[in-house]
Amino acid sequence: MPSPRNIALTVHELEEGEFYWVLMEAVEGSPGDTTHVYVPLEAAHEPYATYSNALVAGVAMMRRLFGPDGEPAS
């Protein structure tokens, strides 16, 4: 079984009223470093009219990529 991935979902308002979801994945930092560093994994290409619509779309993308149980989709 593959080890779990540390994925974060965030929503950014790049222009007023234009919301984009972004999936980011944690990468390993320096040994002994307790902070998390995230790099972009996937992002919306088109804006959503509301924060909540972008958030729901981001969750839907996570489910497509990793399945409803967090396992990689086949």
Side-chain angles (χ1 to χ4, degrees), residues 27-35 37:
V27 295
E28 292 204 20
S30 304
D33 189 0
T34 59
T35 60
V37 175

Side-chain angles (χ1 to χ4, degrees), residues 20-46:
Y20 295 82
W21 56 263
V22 180
L23 293 178
M24 300 180 295
E25 184 168 17
V27 295
E28 292 204 20
S30 304
D33 189 0
T34 59
T35 60
H36 294 282
V37 175
Y38 289 87
V39 296
L41 182 64
E42 293 281 340
H45 296 285
E46 299 293 325

Side-chain angles (χ1 to χ4, degrees), residues 39-57:
V39 296
L41 182 64
E42 293 281 340
H45 296 285
E46 299 293 325
Y48 292 83
T50 66
Y51 180 96
S52 60
N53 285 350
L55 185 64
V56 168

